[in-house]
Amino acid sequence: MTFRGSLKPHPLLVSAGWLNAPDTQFVLQTVMDGGGTARIVGGAVRNTLLGRPVKDIDIATSVHPEEVMARAERAGLQAIPTGVAHGTVTILAGHKPFEVTTLRRDVETHGRHATVAFTEDWSADAHRRDFTINALYCDADGTLHDFVGGVADLTGHRVRFIGRPEDRIAEDYLRILRFYRFTAEYANGGIDGEGHLACSALQEGLERISAERIRAELMKLIVAPFALLSLSEMDEAGILPRILGRAGDLVTLARLVGIEALNAIPPDPIRRLYALAVREPDAAAALKEQLRLSKTEYERLADLQLPDRAFDTREPETWSQVYIYRSGAPAFRDGLLVSWARDVAAEMNDSAYLKRLWLPDRWTVPVLPVSGKDVLALGIQSGPEVGQILSLLDQWWMAAGFPDDAALIHQRLHALVNVKER
Ligand code: ATP
Ligand code: MG
């Protein structure tokens, strides 16, 4: 069924701040200056109709990429040829990037790889996009264009492929993960059975997709509002173990999601990934390879070694304080939340865990009141030894529960210096 939006400005679009912003209007006018049409497409239109925040602004245009570059430069805007061969130019206006892509239609070559040709046919461009809710366009004045029934699917919370799912997946296997990601974000707890079946049947194609692209989709999926639904379906189909390279622990993840929701803690992709996939000590390194995690992401996974006394609510708070002192409050919270999720005997509003969770707000991280200068003043030559003494003093200070008795601390420092000097 084809649903065409009436060709009148849509009230939600007309009043959207991002559309009325002078930068947006200027970019649209610049691209069209000299002939041709430019429209906003994708996430910005979709999210505005849903009343959700808009992240980035994608523009589709009948103007060819070299001409887009020329028009932008003529208007004094910086234009970056991000992927001119595919038709994409990034225009910077007010320090914001606008991705401008020339209308395309898919051309089959040898029945295998889909290449693209530029076109002036808006409906053809809509049909080569992935899901109906992602193929909505709007003019500079807020007029909505819907060639594939996207508005009806948005209203019905359906994430549906445009055309036969099998065909669309075979063109680009990343669409399997995009299907589960958008389902987790927009389908309100339902899933399109036809799409799911096709993804399940064609999942081997994911082997052809780079780890970086898989990682990017997974990181967005795992924090989406209906992540659990998508991940359970993916797990049942065998897609989740395929992309993680190991079995996923959905029970722990479900508890973590519940604890976060109940206590208004914003989700974090690495914390959730840890809950889902890091059980054994070598899992972090394996995931780093499997998903090409960044160094920082990997270190967050690897540094979190569970179990740890710091996250055991029966232990004194000092252990938690030492953890916060060493690794910071965010790492402490991650560890505590995952430990709580794994402690199946604990309720999701357990008061002991809750009290410990907010420890960083009740307790100010102390600063060792001794510096390198104090060590030098005791006659130690500047060099690595100064650091070693400070580090030993620091360890003692932590273990002693951060005493603020200056005399005691200096007594200890003297003792350490004397040992070194002997
Ligand atoms: P987000 O809010 O995540 O940015 P988005 O819908 O804008 O959502 P993008 O990845 O920025 O998603 O892509 C912009 C648009 O390009 C999509 O809405 C879709 O129409 C199209 N698109 C992106 N990736 C694909 C793909 N792999 N296959 C087909 N169409 C795609
Ligand atoms: Mg986008």
Side-chain angles (χ1 to χ4, degrees):
M1 190 190 76
T2 305
F3 173 96
R4 282 172 201 281
S6 57
L7 291 182
K8 279 192 311 210
H10 189 289
L12 287 173
L13 293 164
V14 170
S15 56
W18 60 266
L19 183 60
N20 292 304
D23 289 332
T24 311
Q25 290 291 325
F26 187 57
V27 171
L28 287 170
Q29 296 317 324
T30 298
V31 174
M32 292 192 283
D33 186 7
T37 310
R39 293 173 177 160
I40 311 292
V41 64
V45 183
R46 179 194 65 223
N47 285 14
T48 301
L49 296 182
L50 287 173
R52 296 206 197 177
V54 165
K55 283 174 271 170
D56 49 26
I57 299 178
D58 299 305
I59 294 173
T61 180
S62 57
V63 180
H64 282 208
E66 304 77 31
E67 181 62 17
V68 171
M69 293 280 301
R71 290 181 186 182
E73 276 154 19
R74 206 182 306 143
L77 293 172
Q78 195 187 342
I80 306 155
T82 334
V84 171
H86 301 106
T88 306
V89 171
T90 304
I91 295 183
L92 293 178
H95 303 288
K96 285 190 296 286
F98 293 80
E99 282 228 327
V100 185
T101 304
T102 304
L103 300 187
R104 302 181 320 198
R105 63 189 162 81
D106 284 336
V107 184
E108 291 283 335
T109 45
H110 319 299
R112 273 181 62 232
H113 299 292
T115 54
V116 290
F118 297 137
T119 177
E120 302 209 336
D121 182 345
W122 288 85
S123 172
D125 185 77
H127 281 84
R128 62 117 194 136
R129 293 177 184 273
D130 45 10
F131 310 112
T132 58
I133 61 168
N134 284 352
L136 296 166
Y137 303 78
C138 98
D139 290 321
D141 71 352
T143 300
L144 180 65
H145 301 266
D146 178 10
F147 303 93
V148 292
V151 172
D153 283 342
L154 259 191
T155 314
H157 308 292
R158 288 183 296 268
V159 174
R160 271 197 317 126
F161 281 98
I162 299 168
R164 269 190 81 224
E166 291 82 359
D167 298 343
R168 306 310 315 285
I169 294 167
E171 287 165 11
D172 175 4
Y173 289 98
L174 185 71
R175 288 175 189 160
I176 295 176
L177 292 188
R178 287 179 63 88
F179 172 74
Y180 292 108
R181 196 248 292 186
F182 283 99
T183 295
E185 266 172 315
Y186 300 104
N188 276 21
I191 190 161
D192 177 61
E194 211 191 326
H196 175 47
L197 273 179
C199 289
S200 176
L202 296 174
Q203 59 178 284
E204 276 184 21
L206 282 171
E207 309 294 335
R208 302 191 208 172
I209 302 299
S210 75
E212 287 83 355
R213 297 179 77 200
I214 291 179
R215 173 201 159 279
E217 288 299 326
L218 181 62
M219 292 299 184
K220 290 181 190 163
L221 192 169
I222 204 167
V223 292
F226 301 94
L228 282 174
L229 166 94
S230 274
L231 291 168
S232 315
E233 297 288 355
M234 290 165 74
D235 193 45
E236 225 159 272
I239 297 172
L240 189 61
R242 183 186 290 280
I243 60 172
L244 292 177
R246 59 190 50 248
D249 178 354
L250 282 162
V251 175
T252 299
L253 183 65
R255 278 183 48 91
L256 175 65
V257 169
I259 291 166
E260 288 170 350
L262 210 56
N263 301 296
I265 296 153
D268 173 90
I270 291 296
R271 183 200 306 139
R272 287 194 173 182
L273 183 63
Y274 188 97
L276 180 67
V278 182
R279 269 282 181 192
E280 321 79 53
D282 62 346
L287 279 172
K288 177 178 197 264
E289 280 307 300
Q290 179 79 17
L291 295 170
R292 301 270 191 288
L293 299 178
S294 72
K295 191 164 170 282
T296 321
E297 290 169 336
Y298 163 67
E299 283 170 359
R300 278 187 62 196
L301 292 182
D303 290 350
L304 200 58
Q305 305 266 349
L306 302 183
D308 188 304
R309 280 198 257 198
F311 310 123
D312 187 337
T313 54
R314 291 161 305 189
E315 296 278 357
E317 275 193 355
T318 322
W319 294 108
S320 302
Q321 292 171 340
V322 167
Y323 198 97
I324 297 168
Y325 180 73
R326 276 209 188 122
S327 308
F332 170 74
R333 286 224 166 94
D334 288 344
L336 189 87
L337 287 165
V338 177
S339 303
W340 185 356
R342 287 194 177 158
D343 182 359
V344 290
E347 298 282 344
M348 293 201 272
N349 59 358
D350 181 278
S351 57
Y353 275 108
L354 256 182
K355 183 165 179 247
R356 209 48 88 85
L357 183 67
W358 300 110
L359 174 62
D361 293 357
R362 283 185 275 124
W363 180 73
T364 314
V365 180
V367 180
L368 179 67
V370 170
S371 71
K373 265 196 209 148
D374 301 302
V375 182
L376 294 173
L378 292 176
I380 298 284
Q381 296 293 306
S382 87
E385 221 175 321
V386 176
Q388 284 163 13
I389 290 172
L390 278 176
S391 157
L392 286 170
L393 183 68
D394 196 35
Q395 280 170 33
W396 162 81
W397 191 57
M398 263 192 317
F402 312 103
D404 59 3
D405 180 342
L408 182 70
I409 295 168
H410 280 272
Q411 195 186 339
R412 186 74 194 181
L413 176 61
H414 277 270
L416 286 167
V417 168
N418 288 337
V419 169
K420 281 277 169 194
E421 278 184 336
R422 250 190 269 137

mmCIF file of all heavy atoms in Angstrom, residues 290-311:
data_model
loop_
_atom_site.group_PDB
_atom_site.id
_atom_site.type_symbol
_atom_site.label_atom_id
_atom_site.label_comp_id
_atom_site.label_asym_id
_atom_site.label_seq_id
_atom_site.Cartn_x
_atom_site.Cartn_y
_atom_site.Cartn_z
ATOM 1 N N GLN A 290 37.203 -9.110 18.107
ATOM 2 C CA GLN A 290 35.953 -9.423 17.409
ATOM 3 C C GLN A 290 35.243 -8.160 16.932
ATOM 4 O O GLN A 290 34.699 -8.118 15.838
ATOM 5 C CB GLN A 290 35.049 -10.201 18.381
ATOM 6 C CG GLN A 290 33.700 -10.590 17.843
ATOM 7 C CD GLN A 290 33.757 -11.815 16.937
ATOM 8 O OE1 GLN A 290 34.728 -12.559 16.945
ATOM 9 N NE2 GLN A 290 32.704 -12.004 16.154
ATOM 10 N N LEU A 291 35.259 -7.111 17.763
ATOM 11 C CA LEU A 291 34.496 -5.901 17.442
ATOM 12 C C LEU A 291 35.393 -4.699 17.164
ATOM 13 O O LEU A 291 34.890 -3.589 16.997
ATOM 14 C CB LEU A 291 33.541 -5.565 18.601
ATOM 15 C CG LEU A 291 32.435 -6.586 18.873
ATOM 16 C CD1 LEU A 291 31.714 -6.257 20.176
ATOM 17 C CD2 LEU A 291 31.423 -6.611 17.728
ATOM 18 N N ARG A 292 36.715 -4.934 17.117
ATOM 19 C CA ARG A 292 37.668 -3.825 16.916
ATOM 20 C C ARG A 292 37.334 -2.653 17.840
ATOM 21 O O ARG A 292 37.151 -1.512 17.391
ATOM 22 C CB ARG A 292 37.626 -3.302 15.482
ATOM 23 C CG ARG A 292 37.935 -4.293 14.440
ATOM 24 C CD ARG A 292 39.408 -4.386 14.086
ATOM 25 N NE ARG A 292 39.559 -5.183 12.900
ATOM 26 C CZ ARG A 292 39.388 -6.510 12.860
ATOM 27 N NH1 ARG A 292 39.075 -7.166 13.977
ATOM 28 N NH2 ARG A 292 39.519 -7.171 11.741
ATOM 29 N N LEU A 293 37.269 -2.976 19.123
ATOM 30 C CA LEU A 293 36.967 -1.919 20.091
ATOM 31 C C LEU A 293 38.132 -0.929 20.139
ATOM 32 O O LEU A 293 39.271 -1.297 19.872
ATOM 33 C CB LEU A 293 36.755 -2.525 21.475
ATOM 34 C CG LEU A 293 35.611 -3.520 21.617
ATOM 35 C CD1 LEU A 293 35.562 -4.062 23.037
ATOM 36 C CD2 LEU A 293 34.272 -2.864 21.268
ATOM 37 N N SER A 294 37.829 0.304 20.506
ATOM 38 C CA SER A 294 38.895 1.295 20.657
ATOM 39 C C SER A 294 39.685 0.937 21.921
ATOM 40 O O SER A 294 39.233 0.146 22.748
ATOM 41 C CB SER A 294 38.299 2.690 20.799
ATOM 42 O OG SER A 294 37.696 2.816 22.070
ATOM 43 N N LYS A 295 40.845 1.573 22.064
ATOM 44 C CA LYS A 295 41.697 1.299 23.215
ATOM 45 C C LYS A 295 40.944 1.618 24.515
ATOM 46 O O LYS A 295 40.956 0.841 25.456
ATOM 47 C CB LYS A 295 42.955 2.160 23.096
ATOM 48 C CG LYS A 295 44.051 1.806 24.056
ATOM 49 C CD LYS A 295 45.369 2.432 23.600
ATOM 50 C CE LYS A 295 46.450 2.298 24.658
ATOM 51 N NZ LYS A 295 46.338 3.262 25.761
ATOM 52 N N THR A 296 40.294 2.772 24.518
ATOM 53 C CA THR A 296 39.563 3.182 25.725
ATOM 54 C C THR A 296 38.439 2.202 26.054
ATOM 55 O O THR A 296 38.243 1.835 27.214
ATOM 56 C CB THR A 296 38.932 4.577 25.506
ATOM 57 O OG1 THR A 296 39.859 5.354 24.773
ATOM 58 C CG2 THR A 296 38.589 5.244 26.803
ATOM 59 N N GLU A 297 37.707 1.786 25.037
ATOM 60 C CA GLU A 297 36.608 0.846 25.270
ATOM 61 C C GLU A 297 37.145 -0.466 25.827
ATOM 62 O O GLU A 297 36.608 -1.022 26.790
ATOM 63 C CB GLU A 297 35.847 0.589 23.966
ATOM 64 C CG GLU A 297 35.056 1.785 23.496
ATOM 65 C CD GLU A 297 34.520 1.616 22.073
ATOM 66 O OE1 GLU A 297 35.093 0.820 21.293
ATOM 67 O OE2 GLU A 297 33.543 2.280 21.740
ATOM 68 N N TYR A 298 38.232 -0.942 25.196
ATOM 69 C CA TYR A 298 38.820 -2.195 25.642
ATOM 70 C C TYR A 298 39.295 -2.074 27.090
ATOM 71 O O TYR A 298 39.040 -2.951 27.916
ATOM 72 C CB TYR A 298 39.983 -2.586 24.732
ATOM 73 C CG TYR A 298 40.876 -3.617 25.358
ATOM 74 C CD1 TYR A 298 40.406 -4.909 25.582
ATOM 75 C CD2 TYR A 298 42.166 -3.284 25.773
ATOM 76 C CE1 TYR A 298 41.209 -5.848 26.199
ATOM 77 C CE2 TYR A 298 42.973 -4.221 26.388
ATOM 78 C CZ TYR A 298 42.480 -5.503 26.605
ATOM 79 O OH TYR A 298 43.276 -6.420 27.231
ATOM 80 N N GLU A 299 39.951 -0.978 27.401
ATOM 81 C CA GLU A 299 40.480 -0.824 28.760
ATOM 82 C C GLU A 299 39.368 -0.792 29.798
ATOM 83 O O GLU A 299 39.524 -1.329 30.890
ATOM 84 C CB GLU A 299 41.360 0.436 28.852
ATOM 85 C CG GLU A 299 42.716 0.167 28.236
ATOM 86 C CD GLU A 299 43.574 1.405 28.068
ATOM 87 O OE1 GLU A 299 43.117 2.529 28.418
ATOM 88 O OE2 GLU A 299 44.707 1.251 27.580
ATOM 89 N N ARG A 300 38.259 -0.190 29.439
ATOM 90 C CA ARG A 300 37.139 -0.191 30.396
ATOM 91 C C ARG A 300 36.678 -1.619 30.672
ATOM 92 O O ARG A 300 36.369 -1.962 31.809
ATOM 93 C CB ARG A 300 35.972 0.646 29.858
ATOM 94 C CG ARG A 300 36.169 2.137 30.116
ATOM 95 C CD ARG A 300 34.929 2.919 29.730
ATOM 96 N NE ARG A 300 33.750 2.550 30.492
ATOM 97 C CZ ARG A 300 32.508 2.864 30.149
ATOM 98 N NH1 ARG A 300 32.291 3.562 29.048
ATOM 99 N NH2 ARG A 300 31.495 2.513 30.900
ATOM 100 N N LEU A 301 36.619 -2.436 29.625
ATOM 101 C CA LEU A 301 36.197 -3.833 29.810
ATOM 102 C C LEU A 301 37.245 -4.618 30.602
ATOM 103 O O LEU A 301 36.919 -5.375 31.511
ATOM 104 C CB LEU A 301 35.983 -4.530 28.463
ATOM 105 C CG LEU A 301 34.813 -4.083 27.599
ATOM 106 C CD1 LEU A 301 34.764 -4.925 26.335
ATOM 107 C CD2 LEU A 301 33.492 -4.205 28.344
ATOM 108 N N ALA A 302 38.510 -4.398 30.239
ATOM 109 C CA ALA A 302 39.579 -5.201 30.834
ATOM 110 C C ALA A 302 39.834 -4.803 32.289
ATOM 111 O O ALA A 302 40.157 -5.642 33.117
ATOM 112 C CB ALA A 302 40.848 -5.058 30.010
ATOM 113 N N ASP A 303 39.670 -3.517 32.597
ATOM 114 C CA ASP A 303 39.967 -3.050 33.960
ATOM 115 C C ASP A 303 38.919 -3.494 34.963
ATOM 116 O O ASP A 303 39.161 -3.511 36.166
ATOM 117 C CB ASP A 303 40.091 -1.517 33.992
ATOM 118 C CG ASP A 303 41.352 -1.050 33.276
ATOM 119 O OD1 ASP A 303 42.191 -1.918 32.951
ATOM 120 O OD2 ASP A 303 41.488 0.163 33.030
ATOM 121 N N LEU A 304 37.745 -3.822 34.460
ATOM 122 C CA LEU A 304 36.671 -4.217 35.370
ATOM 123 C C LEU A 304 36.802 -5.719 35.639
ATOM 124 O O LEU A 304 36.381 -6.536 34.841
ATOM 125 C CB LEU A 304 35.330 -3.904 34.708
ATOM 126 C CG LEU A 304 34.122 -3.788 35.617
ATOM 127 C CD1 LEU A 304 34.346 -2.725 36.669
ATOM 128 C CD2 LEU A 304 32.894 -3.423 34.789
ATOM 129 N N GLN A 305 37.412 -6.055 36.755
ATOM 130 C CA GLN A 305 37.610 -7.463 37.085
ATOM 131 C C GLN A 305 36.624 -7.830 38.176
ATOM 132 O O GLN A 305 36.753 -7.370 39.300
ATOM 133 C CB GLN A 305 39.040 -7.679 37.600
ATOM 134 C CG GLN A 305 40.117 -7.192 36.646
ATOM 135 C CD GLN A 305 40.613 -8.293 35.735
ATOM 136 O OE1 GLN A 305 40.311 -9.466 35.937
ATOM 137 N NE2 GLN A 305 41.373 -7.921 34.714
ATOM 138 N N LEU A 306 35.675 -8.656 37.839
ATOM 139 C CA LEU A 306 34.668 -9.062 38.822
ATOM 140 C C LEU A 306 34.855 -10.542 39.147
ATOM 141 O O LEU A 306 35.258 -11.300 38.277
ATOM 142 C CB LEU A 306 33.259 -8.818 38.279
ATOM 143 C CG LEU A 306 32.935 -7.376 37.879
ATOM 144 C CD1 LEU A 306 31.481 -7.282 37.434
ATOM 145 C CD2 LEU A 306 33.210 -6.414 39.010
ATOM 146 N N PRO A 307 34.538 -10.980 40.365
ATOM 147 C CA PRO A 307 34.051 -10.169 41.475
ATOM 148 C C PRO A 307 35.171 -9.366 42.145
ATOM 149 O O PRO A 307 36.342 -9.651 41.938
ATOM 150 C CB PRO A 307 33.492 -11.220 42.432
ATOM 151 C CG PRO A 307 34.259 -12.465 42.139
ATOM 152 C CD PRO A 307 34.637 -12.400 40.695
ATOM 153 N N ASP A 308 34.757 -8.354 42.917
ATOM 154 C CA ASP A 308 35.700 -7.514 43.639
ATOM 155 C C ASP A 308 35.025 -7.113 44.950
ATOM 156 O O ASP A 308 33.822 -6.802 44.947
ATOM 157 C CB ASP A 308 36.008 -6.277 42.786
ATOM 158 C CG ASP A 308 37.133 -5.432 43.362
ATOM 159 O OD1 ASP A 308 37.029 -5.006 44.540
ATOM 160 O OD2 ASP A 308 38.096 -5.160 42.624
ATOM 161 N N ARG A 309 35.806 -7.123 46.012
ATOM 162 C CA ARG A 309 35.232 -6.778 47.316
ATOM 163 C C ARG A 309 34.578 -5.398 47.321
ATOM 164 O O ARG A 309 33.672 -5.131 48.100
ATOM 165 C CB ARG A 309 36.332 -6.766 48.377
ATOM 166 C CG ARG A 309 36.675 -8.156 48.858
ATOM 167 C CD ARG A 309 37.400 -8.018 50.153
ATOM 168 N NE ARG A 309 38.818 -8.216 49.896
ATOM 169 C CZ ARG A 309 39.711 -8.500 50.829
ATOM 170 N NH1 ARG A 309 39.330 -8.576 52.096
ATOM 171 N NH2 ARG A 309 40.967 -8.685 50.523
ATOM 172 N N ALA A 310 35.081 -4.511 46.450
ATOM 173 C CA ALA A 310 34.550 -3.144 46.397
ATOM 174 C C ALA A 310 33.060 -3.142 46.075
ATOM 175 O O ALA A 310 32.345 -2.191 46.392
ATOM 176 C CB ALA A 310 35.303 -2.343 45.344
ATOM 177 N N PHE A 311 32.593 -4.223 45.438
ATOM 178 C CA PHE A 311 31.191 -4.254 44.998
ATOM 179 C C PHE A 311 30.354 -5.216 45.831
ATOM 180 O O PHE A 311 29.242 -5.569 45.460
ATOM 181 C CB PHE A 311 31.117 -4.639 43.517
ATOM 182 C CG PHE A 311 32.045 -3.816 42.661
ATOM 183 C CD1 PHE A 311 33.010 -4.419 41.858
ATOM 184 C CD2 PHE A 311 31.968 -2.433 42.684
ATOM 185 C CE1 PHE A 311 33.865 -3.658 41.088
ATOM 186 C CE2 PHE A 311 32.826 -1.662 41.922
ATOM 187 C CZ PHE A 311 33.779 -2.272 41.130
#
